[in-house]
């Protein structure tokens, strides 16, 4: 009987241990996930610490944590908006430099989370070697994207200089060769017993490049289409973030999504209407320099609107309805790894990536929107390509175009004129 009693006690203890282990797992985490976690070093990263400046802590010490956070976020938001206006005033080159700096910081924040998750700091030489490879891949991808952009928008300048012309002609081959070099270096760096970890980080790096570098490149691509396609979309996202927070803070009662418990329907709806109104107001200034107004009919009244005012409605609607899903995606990512913010770079806001999660999604939409509804054939680019052809190819195109214009009656009318 004593042996049976001891056996029952051991069984109860085993069941309790299993239940406590299952409770400690993340939502949706399986047993294999827990085994992988233990293999790579145990628990996930802890939330980032409060990095509020001591001056603000002393000034707001008498307030509750809710109102203290409100004031900290408000003061830092005003500072960031001021900085945004300054870099716009300084011109496109400064804007492109800032976008590049933001891209590198976001890349660093996401890669650092990967290191913390898999505890790769404990492996000898792994962190240094991996950082070198990841920076190399970052440079390769930037070289590919920005080389394509320079060739596209500065074709005439590139053709004047022989070294630039050669780099432009063989740009994709050079980019592929650079990537293959990094790929071979990664294969040669594989260490026995750490294969799985290294391939995890290899995949983590490439997904980060896809999310951060590709979309930051689209921001600069939009900038080349005109400053207004840079300023208005970014301003709409900023307005939606601020107004959604304000409406949610003062009127929020109904939870919006489980991934982000602080988001409310009141904030979401208030942010939508505020952003659409803001987009219309901002577009008025840019539309005055545009073409003649378009006619839009609403019920029994005809309202004259400039084309960009119509575009601003589309941009602000996307920024307020679909843009927040970039933030929800980031919230799910952070909850998956038990972190509060990507970093503690900006007090009250988190890391740079915490502020650009919606901006990257917006940049992709703007680029697709321009390509689908705005951009048409560019005669100057066609002429540039035509001038690089051999003389016999130019004559063939000339004769074909001449015959086509004669058939349509355009060339004859020009000669008569």
């Amino acid at each position: 009987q004593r042996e049976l009693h001891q056996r029952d006690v051991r069984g109860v203890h085993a069941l309790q241990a299993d239940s406590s282990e299952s409770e400690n797992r993340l939502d949706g985490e399986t047993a294999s996930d827990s085994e992988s976690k233990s293999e790579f070093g145990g628990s996930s990263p802890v939330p980032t610490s409060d990095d509020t400046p001591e001056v603000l802590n002393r000034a707001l010490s008498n307030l509750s944590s809710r109102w203290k956070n409100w004031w900290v976020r408000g003061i830092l938001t005003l500072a960031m908006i001021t900085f945004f206006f300054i870099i716009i005033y300084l011109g496109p080159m400064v804007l492109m430099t800032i976008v590049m700096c933001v891209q590198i910081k976001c890349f660093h924040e996401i890669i650092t989370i990967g290191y913390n998750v898999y505890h790769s700091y404990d492996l000898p030489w792994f962190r240094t070697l991996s950082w070198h490879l990841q920076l190399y891949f970052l440079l390769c991808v930037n070289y590919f994207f920005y080389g394509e952009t320079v060739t596209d928008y500065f074709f005439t300048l590139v053709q004047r200089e022989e070294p630039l012309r050669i780099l432009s002609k063989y740009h994709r081959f050079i980019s592929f060769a650079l990537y293959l070099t990094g790929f071979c270096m990664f294969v040669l760096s594989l260490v026995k017993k750490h294969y799985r970890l290294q391939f995890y980080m290899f995949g983590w790096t490439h997904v980060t490049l896809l999310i951060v570098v590709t979309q930051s490149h689209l921001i600069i691509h939009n900038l080349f289409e005109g400053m207004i396609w840079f300023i208005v979309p970014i301003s709409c996202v900023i307005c939606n973030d601020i107004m959604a927070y304000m409406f949610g803070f003062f009127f929020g009662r109904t939870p919006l999504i489980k991934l982000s418990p602080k988001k409310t329907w009141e904030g979401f709806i208030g942010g939508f209407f505020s952003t659409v109104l803001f987009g219309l107001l901002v577009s008025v200034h840019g539309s005055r320099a545009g073409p003649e107004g378009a006619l839009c009919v609403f019920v029994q009244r005809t309202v004259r609107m400039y084309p960009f005012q119509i575009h601003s409605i589309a941009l602000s609607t996307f920024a307020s309805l679909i843009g927040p899903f970039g933030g929800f995606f980031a919230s799910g990512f952070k909850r998956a790894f038990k972190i509060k913010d990507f970093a503690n770079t900006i007090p009250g806001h988190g890391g740079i990536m915490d502020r650009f999660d919606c901006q990257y999604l917006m940049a992709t939409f703007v680029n697709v929107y321009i390509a689908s509804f705005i951009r048409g054939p560019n005669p100057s680019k066609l002429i540039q390509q035509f001038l690089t052809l051999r003389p016999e190819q130019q004559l063939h195109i000339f004769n074909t175009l001449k015959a086509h214009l004669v058939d349509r009656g355009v060339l004859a009318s020009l000669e008569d004129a």
Side-chain angles (χ1 to χ4, degrees):
Q1 290 178 351
R2 186 179 302 169
E3 291 177 358
L4 290 173
H5 176 70
Q6 292 176 351
R7 191 179 304 169
D8 292 339
V9 170
R10 286 195 297 268
V12 170
H13 288 168
L15 289 173
Q16 291 176 346
D18 292 339
S19 62
S20 63
E21 180 181 354
S22 62
E23 289 174 357
N24 288 332
R25 293 174 187 164
L26 289 171
D27 295 338
E29 186 181 45
T30 62
S32 59
D33 295 331
S34 299
E35 291 173 2
S36 299
K37 188 195 297 183
S38 63
E39 178 183 350
F40 295 130
S43 60
S44 299
V46 297
T48 54
S49 59
D50 181 21
D51 199 31
T52 306
E54 189 61 30
V55 176
L56 290 178
N57 277 329
R58 275 197 242 106
L60 305 174
S61 59
N62 296 328
L63 298 177
S64 63
S65 59
R66 182 169 182 264
W67 281 100
K68 178 183 176 182
N69 182 63
W70 190 87
W71 277 104
V72 170
R73 288 176 66 94
I75 293 170
L76 269 298
T77 297
L78 291 176
M80 287 187 288
I81 292 174
T82 304
F83 178 72
F84 179 63
F85 281 120
I86 291 173
I87 61 174
I88 289 175
Y89 175 77
L90 294 176
M93 292 303 298
V94 176
L95 283 174
M96 287 189 285
T97 304
I98 294 297
V99 171
M100 285 290 296
C101 294
V102 168
Q103 173 205 120
I104 294 171
K105 187 65 175 70
C106 291
F107 181 82
H108 174 264
E109 289 177 0
I110 298 177
I111 292 298
T112 301
I113 293 174
Y115 280 125
N116 292 336
V117 168
Y118 299 117
H119 290 263
S120 53
Y121 290 101
D122 300 333
L123 302 181
W125 299 105
F126 182 81
R127 182 188 176 204
T128 303
L129 182 61
S130 293
W131 264 119
H132 288 163
L133 281 174
Q134 284 153 356
L135 289 175
Y136 180 82
F137 282 126
L138 179 65
L139 292 174
C140 288
V141 175
N142 276 289
Y143 174 79
F144 171 74
F145 280 124
Y146 292 103
E148 294 275 326
T149 301
V150 169
T151 303
D152 193 24
Y153 287 95
F154 302 99
F155 184 83
T156 304
L157 178 63
V158 169
Q159 293 300 316
R160 292 176 184 172
E161 302 292 335
E162 185 65 19
L164 293 178
R165 190 180 65 80
I166 295 174
L167 289 175
S168 172
K169 184 177 180 179
Y170 302 106
H171 171 70
R172 295 198 176 186
F173 180 81
I174 296 172
S175 300
F176 183 66
L178 290 173
Y179 178 81
L180 279 182
T181 303
F183 179 81
C184 294
M185 287 192 296
F186 168 75
V187 174
L188 294 174
S189 69
L190 291 172
V191 180
K192 190 176 181 180
K193 295 183 180 181
H194 300 306
Y195 292 150
R196 185 185 298 183
L197 170 59
Q198 290 181 278
F199 277 103
Y200 268 132
M201 292 306 301
F202 184 79
W204 189 286
T205 301
H206 280 66
V207 172
T208 305
L209 291 173
L210 177 65
I211 294 174
V212 175
V213 181
T214 304
Q215 298 185 77
S216 63
H217 167 71
L218 294 180
I219 294 178
I220 294 181
H221 209 273
N222 299 336
L223 180 60
F224 277 105
E225 296 293 333
M227 282 285 286
I228 198 167
W229 295 106
F230 177 88
I231 296 173
V232 173
I234 290 180
S235 299
C236 285
V237 173
I238 294 173
C239 174
N240 184 70
D241 284 345
I242 293 173
M243 299 311 296
Y245 178 77
M246 296 286 286
F247 275 92
F249 186 87
F250 290 106
F251 309 109
R253 296 291 183 274
T254 312
L256 176 62
I257 187 170
K258 291 183 179 179
L259 284 173
S260 190
K262 293 184 179 180
K263 299 292 191 301
T264 62
W265 275 105
E266 291 81 2
F268 185 78
I269 296 171
F272 166 72
F273 286 108
S274 301
T275 305
V276 172
L277 179 61
F278 172 81
L280 284 172
L281 295 176
V282 170
S283 64
V284 169
H285 175 71
S287 300
R288 291 174 182 171
E292 294 182 358
L295 293 178
C296 298
V297 179
F298 298 100
V299 193
Q300 295 180 347
R301 295 187 59 188
T302 300
V303 180
R304 180 171 293 274
M305 297 182 67
Y306 286 91
F308 192 79
Q309 289 178 287
I310 301 173
H311 300 323
S312 72
I313 295 175
L315 296 177
S316 57
T317 300
F318 183 90
S320 55
L321 293 183
I322 309 299
F325 280 84
F328 300 153
F329 177 86
S331 296
F333 179 86
K334 290 183 285 188
R335 287 175 68 84
F337 298 108
K338 291 185 178 180
I339 57 175
K340 181 181 178 183
D341 298 309
F342 283 95
N344 55 2
T345 309
I346 310 172
H349 292 267
I352 300 296
M353 190 64 199
D354 289 287
R355 296 272 54 85
F356 275 81
D357 45 14
C358 301
Q359 295 287 2
Y360 282 139
L361 188 60
M362 187 70 187
T364 305
F365 170 74
V366 173
N367 190 267
V368 173
Y369 186 86
I370 293 174
S372 302
F373 304 108
I374 307 299
R375 187 190 300 130
N378 192 331
S380 62
K381 291 183 180 179
L382 292 176
I383 293 174
Q384 290 171 359
Q385 294 177 354
F386 178 79
L387 294 176
T388 60
L389 299 175
R390 296 192 300 271
E392 58 271 17
Q393 293 174 322
Q394 293 176 350
L395 284 173
H396 175 72
I397 294 175
F398 171 76
N399 292 327
T400 304
L401 180 61
K402 179 180 178 181
H404 175 72
L405 293 176
V406 169
D407 291 340
R408 294 183 58 185
V410 176
L411 190 59
S413 63
L414 290 175
E415 290 176 351
D416 293 341

